[in-house]
Structure formats: C-alpha cells, structure tokens
Amino acid sequence: MEQFSAEVQQEIDRFMAYIEAKNPNEPEFIQAVREVAVTVIPFILSKDQYKGFKLLERMAEPERVIIFRVPWFDDKGEIQVNRGFRIQMNSAIGPYKGGLRFHPTVNLSVLKFLAFEQVFKNSLTTLPMGGGKGGADFDPSGKSDNEIMRFCQAFMTELCKHIGPDTDVPAGDIGVGAREIGYLFGQYKKIRNEFTGVLTGKGLAYGGSLIRPEATGYGVVYFCEQMLKTIGESISGKTFAVSGFGNVAWGVIKKIDQLGGKAITLSGPDGYIYDPEGISGDKIDYLLELRASGNNRAEDYAKKYPSATFVAGKRPWEVKCDVAIPSATQNELDLEDAQNLVANGCICVTEAANMPSTLDAINYFLDNKVLFSPGKASNAGGVATSGLEMTQNSLRLNWSSEEVDARLKEIMIGIHKACRDYGKDEDGYVNYVKGANIAGFVKVAEAMLAQGVV
C-alpha cells in the first residue's frame, strides 16, 4: 500500500470523513469513493489548477437522484410494488450514460457506487458521455415474459420523464438484457411518440449495434492483451480463470479463445466449474444457449461436458491460472482469494465486473507487483460500444461487426495508454488503479472547470 506524506494523508482522511458523514449506511459507495480518493487527492494537491475548486467533492455528489414507485400486476392479477432509481451523477462531458440493473440487491448505495464509477469509465473512453446508473429491486428470475413486460412498462412510464437521447441514455446491466431493453424501448416510444436512440443494447431490428452483447468481454481481453505486452507476454498459451455466467463472461471466454488463450473456469450462483481442456468451440455456444434460457447454473455445464468438474458454493480463485478475470459482481474476490492467486503464480488480474475486488485484495495485488486493472478501465468496452451505438443511431446507419470490433479495440488501446501514462511508477511498474482514476478525473475536471460552478 502506498505511503503518503502527513499533509496528503490528512486531506484524504478529511475528505473521507466528509463523504462518510454525508452518505451513512452506504458501504459500496464509500468503498468506491475511497478507492478513487487515495489516488486522485495526491494528484490534485500536486496541481495548482485543481486546488480549491472541490472537484472531487462535486464529483461524489450526484447532480440528481430520482427514486420512484413501480406498481405492476403479476400473472395472478395481484398488485406488486417495487422501487425504481436513476442516479444522474455527472454530465460535464456529455449526457448521462449508464446501465439499468434489475436485482433484489439494488439499493441507493449500490447504484451510487456504480454511477460514480461510470463517470470515470465513460471519461476514459474519450467519447462524450457523462455518468449515470439506475434500476429497481425487481427480480426477473422466475417471472413470466408477460410479468417482465408489465414491470418494464410500469418502470419506463416514470423513467421516461427523466431521460432522452441528449439528456440521459440508459443501457442494460444485471437482469436487463435484450428482452427487457425491448420492452422498455417500446414503452418509451409509445409515451413520447418518438423513435430515438434513448436506450442502448437494443435489438438489431430497431437500432442496436452488432457485437454489443460481447463488447464488454471483448474489451476486457483487449485491455488484458495490452497489459501483458508491457511485460513481454501475450494472450496466446495462457490459462485464464474466469468468473460469472452472463454476457460479460461469455464475451471474455469467446475472445480469449479467438486469441489463443484457454479459459478453464466459469461460475454461477451455485458454484464454479473447472474444465482443464478449456472452454471453446461448441462449449461457448452452449453458454449462450443457457443464457438465452435464463439458466445461470454452472453445474449444468459440468453435466453436459464430462471434462469439467463442478465445485459447489465456491469461487474459482483457488484454481491455478496465469490470468484471472473476475466477471460476476462486486466484492467477489477478497484478500484470501488474492493470496491464493499470487501463490499459484497468477501474473495478471483484469477486472471485467464493476468493483469485483475488495480494497484489501487490490492492495495485495499492487504490493506484490501483479498486473491489476480496475473495472472502470478494463470493462469500459461495453459502454464504449454503447457510445458507438448512439453514434450509429444519430447517423441512421449500422456498421459491420468488423467495424465495431476494430473501433472497440482502438478505444481499449487508447484507454490502456492513458492508464499507463498516468500510472507508471518510477520502477516501471504500472499502477492501473492510479492511472485509471487520474486519467478519468482529468477530463471531467477540465470540463467542470470550464463550465463554472454549476
């Protein structure tokens, strides 16, 4: 863990005391802000042009928080009531942009953490997008298509008052896939009587972009490829431990296979599978079939493919690998997991989920000089491709999958360069956490300074 001067440490402590007092009982949000503060505050104190403007305090305060009731009818005709949210965090460099999450764990703390991270992530893409996030404490699992449609329509009936192609452009996230985006878009179009690119992640038939479902995972692997190049290594021939079972993990595994690597694990809420032969070919196609059916049980993969072993109730970080890519959810990789990975020779950890590693785990990786990238940098490919979808919608055209993939790779190489430039230590080690936070901060800070105190 980096040691700071007394002046810097005092300012970090003052700032975090201020954040904790203003945001009690919001541990995820406080964790996300602290991770940024310990790298950005020393940078701010070293630059006269940023002193005195309370830029980080302003970035950590949402421009707008919208909370609303979502009543809907289930298939029994009974009224259900959920809570909807939209956090419009920062619009200094463009309209708010960030996903919608439908999951029972959704609350204000989780969404504020995600929105705060989104500000920096979107800044890193170099595309003109601000940061936001939203969702509801609705659980799509076990619901019929009609129930999900009725919920999405009820949710959008309120949300449509607060979004638009030049104001706020939501996308999908956990629990919100192509089906949900379609229902949400249809309701927005009906109420507003306009066909605009107000949502990304749309179906190809009505304005979606090719490779959007795979984009986050593809971008993660492109970023990982650049990380490995800094130490003279490549994807080819490496073994990868991957967690998760959704579109992100699927995209990660697919691109690893294309580049000559071997993914040997994936995980669901029931546990993880270890497949020493590697997840490739028809196995990747089977993952897509499972996701399309709403099935996220890792055990079903092991039942179909005898080369795989299923380990119930555990995460895959005990498996020996060259590279780890956590792709599931926040805080899924803790200090003990980090110690296992380092002891087993892991040389690179590239986050594909949002804040999947605890602060203790991150510090352990950094202290042991393991290449480590935070999600705000390495998983920015999803929102970058959403930005490309917005561009295609504005131009009223569609690019080929090859064009989108090439633009995505170019963006991820650019993000890596910015992180490397701001994060390279005197000994040559690249601290991607510091690099991503500072690079993301600079663009937003410059825009906020230019626009005055608003």
Side-chain angles (χ1 to χ4, degrees):
M1 187 183 300
E2 188 174 352
Q3 300 298 312
F4 303 113
S5 67
E7 176 194 8
V8 171
Q9 189 61 56
Q10 184 178 21
E11 180 57 20
I12 292 172
D13 293 343
R14 179 206 66 77
F15 174 78
M16 288 310 305
Y18 163 83
I19 292 296
E20 290 169 8
K22 292 201 73 176
N23 304 277
N25 305 313
E26 296 183 4
E28 293 89 355
F29 178 62
I30 290 169
Q31 178 185 340
V33 175
R34 183 182 297 278
E35 190 253 286
V36 169
V38 296
T39 51
V40 169
I41 285 176
F43 177 77
I44 291 173
L45 293 178
S46 71
K47 304 292 182 182
D48 289 340
Q49 69 265 36
Y50 298 137
K51 292 180 181 177
F53 290 96
K54 294 198 172 180
L55 291 163
L56 202 52
E57 285 89 341
R58 288 153 63 187
M59 289 183 194
E61 188 67 31
E63 293 178 7
R64 193 173 294 105
V65 175
I66 301 152
I67 303 177
F68 52 94
R69 181 180 64 202
V70 188
W72 57 282
F73 285 101
D74 65 19
D75 285 344
K76 297 177 182 178
E78 295 179 3
I79 297 171
Q80 302 293 332
V81 181
N82 287 96
R83 180 174 292 173
F85 303 85
R86 188 64 181 172
I87 314 297
Q88 296 178 334
M89 200 78 189
N90 191 293
S91 60
I93 62 175
Y96 308 106
K97 184 82 190 79
L100 297 171
R101 176 175 293 192
F102 291 169
H103 196 271
T105 61
V106 164
N107 58 39
L108 198 57
S109 176
V110 169
L111 292 181
K112 283 172 67 178
F113 124 62
L114 291 167
F116 183 72
E117 290 270 296
Q118 200 77 44
V119 173
F120 291 81
K121 183 189 301 185
N122 293 359
S123 173
L124 286 167
T125 69
T126 72
L127 301 174
M129 301 181 294
K133 207 76 180 183
D137 58 355
F138 169 77
D139 187 358
S141 63
K143 304 291 192 303
S144 71
D145 282 353
N146 282 332
E147 286 177 321
I148 290 171
M149 180 181 70
R150 287 194 290 270
F151 175 81
C152 288
Q153 289 172 341
F155 181 85
M156 182 53 79
T157 297
E158 177 61 31
L159 184 66
C160 73
K161 304 169 186 176
H162 310 286
I163 64 175
D166 297 315
T167 304
D168 186 349
V169 184
D173 194 79
I174 294 173
V176 180
R179 174 183 54 180
E180 289 76 16
I181 290 293
Y183 294 149
L184 291 165
F185 182 82
Q187 185 73 351
Y188 180 90
K189 181 169 64 72
K190 178 179 179 180
I191 294 173
R192 298 291 289 265
N193 191 31
E194 60 183 34
F195 195 108
T196 60
V198 70
L199 288 161
T200 57
K202 299 185 293 299
L204 292 176
Y206 61 103
S209 174
L210 288 162
I211 80 162
R212 177 61 190 91
E214 306 99 315
T216 301
Y218 279 17
V220 168
V221 179
Y222 287 142
F223 195 96
C224 177
E225 183 178 40
Q226 296 303 308
M227 294 172 74
L228 291 172
K229 282 183 178 180
T230 65
I231 57 171
E233 299 287 349
S234 68
I235 299 287
S236 181
K238 298 289 186 298
T239 56
F240 291 76
V242 181
S243 66
F245 212 84
N247 281 340
V248 176
W250 172 61
V252 165
I253 290 170
K254 190 175 177 183
K255 184 56 68 173
I256 287 171
D257 185 53
Q258 289 177 9
L259 297 179
K262 183 165 73 171
I264 55 175
T265 73
L266 56 79
S267 66
D270 55 336
Y272 78 87
I273 63 96
Y274 167 58
D275 188 343
E277 291 184 1
I279 304 169
S280 62
D282 63 339
K283 296 176 181 178
I284 297 175
D285 296 333
Y286 181 63
L287 293 183
L288 189 58
E289 288 178 26
L290 290 176
R291 289 300 301 153
S293 66
N295 184 348
N296 60 354
R297 288 174 50 81
E299 186 176 10
D300 288 350
Y301 176 99
K303 289 178 179 177
K304 184 173 178 64
Y305 296 105
S307 60
T309 302
F310 174 67
V311 182
K314 299 185 76 175
R315 295 170 296 200
W317 313 125
E318 61 190 8
V319 174
K320 182 177 176 60
C321 64
D322 299 313
V323 181
I325 302 186
S327 312
T329 190
Q330 64 262 21
N331 294 327
E332 61 166 297
L333 195 161
D334 60 22
L335 177 58
E336 182 180 353
D337 297 323
Q339 291 169 337
N340 283 336
L341 286 168
V342 173
N344 282 329
C346 179
I347 61 173
C348 178
V349 178
T350 308
E351 289 190 339
N354 292 303
M355 204 170 74
S357 307
T358 65
L359 284 172
D360 287 342
I362 292 170
N363 288 329
Y364 191 80
F365 289 134
L366 298 179
D367 289 345
N368 283 273
K369 302 298 183 183
V370 172
L371 293 175
F372 173 83
S373 169
K376 66 169 65 71
S378 43
N379 80 5
V383 74
T385 306
S386 286
L388 298 178
E389 181 176 332
M390 291 166 65
T391 301
Q392 292 172 77
N393 291 166
S394 297
L395 296 172
R396 295 287 195 268
L397 56 76
N398 283 75
W399 294 327
S400 69
S401 57
E402 291 78 15
E403 286 178 290
V404 177
D405 198 13
R407 291 172 190 268
L408 169 62
K409 184 172 184 178
E410 184 180 342
I411 288 170
M412 298 311 298
I413 291 172
I415 294 173
H416 179 269
K417 182 181 185 303
C419 294
R420 185 195 62 206
D421 291 348
Y422 281 106
K424 196 167 188 177
D425 293 337
E426 291 181 1
D427 63 359
Y429 173 72
V430 180
N431 183 332
Y432 288 95
V433 176
K434 179 172 72 175
N437 288 339
I438 293 174
F441 168 82
V442 166
K443 182 175 181 181
V444 179
E446 294 293 337
M448 291 175 69
L449 287 173
Q451 295 168 28
V453 182
V454 294

